[in-house]
Amino acid sequence: MEISASAARAASEVRVVFGRVKRRLKALADTDDLTPSQSSVLSRLDKDGPASASELATAERIRPQSIAAILAALRQADLIQRHPDPQDGRRQVVSLTSAGRHRLQGDRKVRQEWLAQTLQDHCTEAERQKIITALALLDRAIEAAR
């Protein structure tokens, strides 16, 4: 099946713009001392709740040895804690500490405020509504492609 010129252009522009937004938002986060993998694990724990190291490795699509190193660094920074699994005492479950949760919330707030202020300052109300509509369409297309 041939891809239309408009679909190819839209895909290229979405990829480029999302890449720029992602880099800018990352630059705003207070994660100077965290690797992207460590930040991703913190976000996953916040979103999905406590998990075992093997569950995290599978979800992050990384080797168990890599997740072990990530978790060790996060624990040393007091951003996560380990405790026995209530269903299987032989297994350890990882969860965010209050410091880890606070760090994520602060980073998200800074990024959200910057993006909202940028849209407020540089887009009209009509343009912001178009962005909302376009993102809903993109989300629908991506969900349908699953």
Side-chain angles (χ1 to χ4, degrees):
M1 180 161 89
E2 191 170 321
I3 295 177
S4 70
S6 65
R9 180 175 175 202
S12 177
E13 289 187 22
V14 164
R15 185 184 52 76
V16 169
V17 171
F18 279 28
R20 274 192 225 139
V21 170
K22 183 178 178 181
R23 284 188 299 277
R24 182 63 173 125
L25 293 176
K26 273 188 165 191
L28 293 168
D30 181 27
T31 56
D32 295 337
D33 56 338
L34 296 180
T35 67
S37 296
Q38 291 167 347
S39 295
S40 180
V41 168
L42 285 179
S43 293
R44 183 169 301 282
L45 287 168
D46 185 51
K47 179 181 152 205
D48 298 341
S52 69
S54 62
E55 290 168 339
L56 289 168
T58 300
E60 293 290 316
R61 297 182 178 174
I62 58 177
R63 296 184 338 257
Q65 298 88 338
S66 299
I67 198 72
I70 290 167
L71 294 177
L74 292 173
R75 185 153 187 217
Q76 186 173 355
D78 193 35
L79 300 175
I80 63 163
Q81 60 189 353
R82 292 179 185 258
H83 44 87
D85 184 332
Q87 277 84 35
D88 182 353
R90 300 169 292 170
R91 194 170 81 142
Q92 294 283 304
V93 175
V94 179
S95 62
L96 291 175
T97 61
S98 59
R101 187 166 281 104
H102 180 73
R103 172 108 177 230
L104 278 173
Q105 290 168 349
D107 289 348
R108 285 182 183 146
K109 183 178 181 197
V110 166
R111 293 186 306 249
Q112 176 74 20
E113 288 174 355
W114 174 82
L115 190 52
Q117 190 66 54
T118 298
L119 293 170
Q120 179 74 33
D121 292 349
H122 301 285
C123 298
T124 65
E125 180 62 31
E127 289 169 332
R128 289 190 297 272
Q129 291 303 317
K130 286 180 184 178
I131 291 169
I132 292 167
T133 301
L135 289 172
L137 290 170
L138 182 59
D139 188 48
R140 185 184 77 200
I142 290 169
E143 285 299 315
R146 283 183 160 197

